[in-house]
Amino acid sequence: MVVKVRIRGELLEYLLELSRDFYPNEFAGFLREKDGILEEVLIAPGGHFGPASAFFNTWLLPLDGEIKGTVHSHPDHVCQPSPQDLWFFSKFGGFHLIICYPYSPEDVRAYDSEGNPVEIEVVP
């Protein structure tokens, strides 16, 4: 069985734009799911977004059962999760997107909470 994450095309384009806007720094956010499709991103307030990491206080996130994963950018060509990414993935479950430079649709990878690759399906 192929594990797949479904994401709205509009959201994917927005995430690519955010990645470009934050460059040369990373950005990070949380993904909301509705009816099995990732549809929104939440950027936690008061975060620090630097060239090698992103940090935010998860206590500032709303209690939201629709948060099903995370997204962050890598300002280099490496789309593989780092040990820190894997630790973070394990805390939030669901699906996790990494968007690496130069931030085109081909530069997006999805992983499960253990860091295993997951197929991405873009839906209208």
Side-chain angles (χ1 to χ4, degrees), residues 5-20 27 31-32 37-41 71-72 97-100 103-110 120-124:
V5 61
R6 299 175 77 207
I7 184 170
R8 287 266 178 243
E10 215 174 277
L11 175 58
L12 182 58
E13 286 302 319
Y14 180 61
L15 295 174
L16 292 168
E17 185 178 315
L18 279 174
S19 298
R20 288 182 210 109
F27 97 92
L31 297 167
R32 272 193 177 139
I37 301 171
L38 299 176
E39 294 203 356
E40 291 182 320
V41 62
V71 60
H72 73 280
L97 301 181
I98 295 177
I99 305 170
C100 59
Y103 313 121
S104 72
E106 295 78 30
D107 301 311
V108 181
R109 303 289 184 276
I120 301 170
E121 179 185 353
V122 180
V123 297

Side-chain angles (χ1 to χ4, degrees), residues 5-116:
V5 61
R6 299 175 77 207
I7 184 170
R8 287 266 178 243
E10 215 174 277
L11 175 58
L12 182 58
E13 286 302 319
Y14 180 61
L15 295 174
L16 292 168
E17 185 178 315
L18 279 174
S19 298
R20 288 182 210 109
D21 288 349
F22 273 82
Y23 183 80
N25 295 322
E26 287 192 13
F27 97 92
F30 293 86
L31 297 167
R32 272 193 177 139
E33 178 184 80
K34 292 183 184 177
D35 301 322
I37 301 171
L38 299 176
E39 294 203 356
E40 291 182 320
V41 62
L42 297 172
I43 308 286
H48 164 78
F49 304 99
S53 65
F55 170 82
F56 41 83
N57 186 341
T58 56
W59 288 98
L60 297 176
L61 287 173
L63 296 174
D64 187 336
E66 293 179 343
I67 293 177
K68 300 297 181 187
T70 67
V71 60
H72 73 280
S73 64
H74 283 180
D76 56 26
H77 299 285
V78 179
C79 278
Q80 300 298 315
S82 68
Q84 295 83 2
D85 292 338
L86 293 173
W87 178 87
F88 187 67
F89 292 177
S90 74
K91 303 301 177 205
F92 287 94
F95 296 107
H96 307 277
L97 301 181
I98 295 177
I99 305 170
C100 59
Y101 184 84
Y103 313 121
S104 72
E106 295 78 30
D107 301 311
V108 181
R109 303 289 184 276
Y111 300 93
D112 65 15
S113 60
E114 296 176 356
N116 299 308

